[in-house]
Each structure stands twice: as C-alpha cells, then as structure tokens.
Amino acid sequence: MKIVLIGFMGSGKSTIARELGKQLHKEVIEMDSVVLERTECTDMAHVFEKGGEILLREWEIKLAKEWKDASDVIISTGGGVVMNKIILDYLKENEGQVIFLHSSFETIHDRIQQDNTPRPLFQHEEEAKKLYDFRLPLYKQYADHEVDCDDKSVEEIVSEIKSFI
Ligand code: S3P
C-alpha cells in the first residue's frame, strides 16, 4: 500500500513517516529531500532563490507523477502539495491512502520556532496563518483519513494511522 502523509509545514509529517516506516517495514520517501537532490539545492531557501515557488511546484508535480504507480511506500509530502490538484490525483493512484496530519496553527507555530529548517513560506506569522486557513479545507478535502495531532505523542499518532490501514 502507498501511504501519503499531508499537512501544513511543521505538522510532523517527516517524524511520523520515519516511525511508521520503521514499524511497517516500508520505504520512506521525503518529497522535499528529493526536490533538493533533483534541483541540486542545499535547502528550500536555495530552491526559491533559484526558481521561485514555481520551481518547487513543478518538481512536486513531476515527482508525484513518477511515484503514481509506487506501492509499499510511505511518502512524506511538502506542505504545499495541495496547491495543485494533479499532485494528489497522482499520489492517490494505485490505491494511495492520503492521511492528513492535522495540528492547530498554535502547535505548528511553536514547533517551527524551535526548528531552524529554512521555510520561505513561513517567514511572517500573519501570512503563514492566512496560508494555513486557506489550505485547511484542501487538506480535509484530499484526505482519506484525518488524524488530530495536537497533544498526541508520535506513538499515539502512528498507532492511530495503523488502525486505518
Ligand atoms: C512548503 C512546505 C515545505 C517545503 C517548502 C514549501 C509549503 O515542506 O516544501 O518550504 O508550501 O507549505 P514541509 O511541509 O515539510 O515544511
């Protein structure tokens, strides 16, 4: 089965994907890392400097198409994949199960403050909150399952996901 994790920046997709991969003995693909490899960039700020947000979105579409027939894999996506419906259409192919990791903006904000990963679209709190509000219905729309992640441990979130699949 192809498991696809979606959610806003800082919602814990990578951490959950790693733990789920360990427990289910499945390969984990980090979409952001593959974008960095393919664009030969050091981080997301570098991608945005090189080609703007559009370069990232073009790569997300190409990779989703490349992985549409994948099976037995966990794909941790970038928070912006919901901006292009075609990405989710590809990722849902071959019985892909899309799981939305839903954290509140407050939880995400606190987490991102403590993390120094460059996030070009999370520079100003107000703009990030607008983006969060805009995307929330999209994550819900594309998800086959939604996990409420606030105040839950990694172990609790992973076992909830395992109960769906
Ligand atoms: C983005 C999310 C980031 C990364 C890029 C843009 C977004 O991934 O793809 O900075 O548009 O929400 P994470 O969700 O892993 O932080």
Side-chain angles (χ1 to χ4, degrees), residues 27-89:
E27 183 195 351
V28 175
I29 302 179
E30 270 288 334
M31 204 171 203
D32 281 354
S33 306
V34 181
V35 170
L36 296 184
E37 277 168 32
R38 300 284 180 94
T39 55
E40 300 180 343
C41 286
T42 48
D43 55 35
M44 274 300 159
H46 190 186
V47 175
F48 276 59
E49 270 161 36
K50 206 171 189 175
E53 184 178 351
I54 192 75
L55 179 61
L56 166 64
R57 303 297 170 219
E58 280 171 5
W59 272 103
E60 286 176 333
I61 294 170
K62 277 190 222 171
L63 294 175
K65 187 173 184 185
E66 213 172 292
W67 300 332
K68 69 184 167 63
D69 298 321
S71 59
D72 243 17
V73 72
I74 298 168
I75 301 176
S76 173
T77 61
V81 290
V82 290
M83 302 304 278
N84 289 295
K85 181 179 176 292
I86 188 77
I87 296 178
L88 271 299
D89 288 346

Side-chain angles (χ1 to χ4, degrees), residues 151-165:
D151 304 319
K152 280 191 193 143
S153 65
V154 170
E155 190 48 52
E156 285 171 315
I157 296 167
V158 166
S159 57
E160 208 171 308
I161 295 174
K162 282 163 76 182
S163 74
F164 296 143
I165 53 176

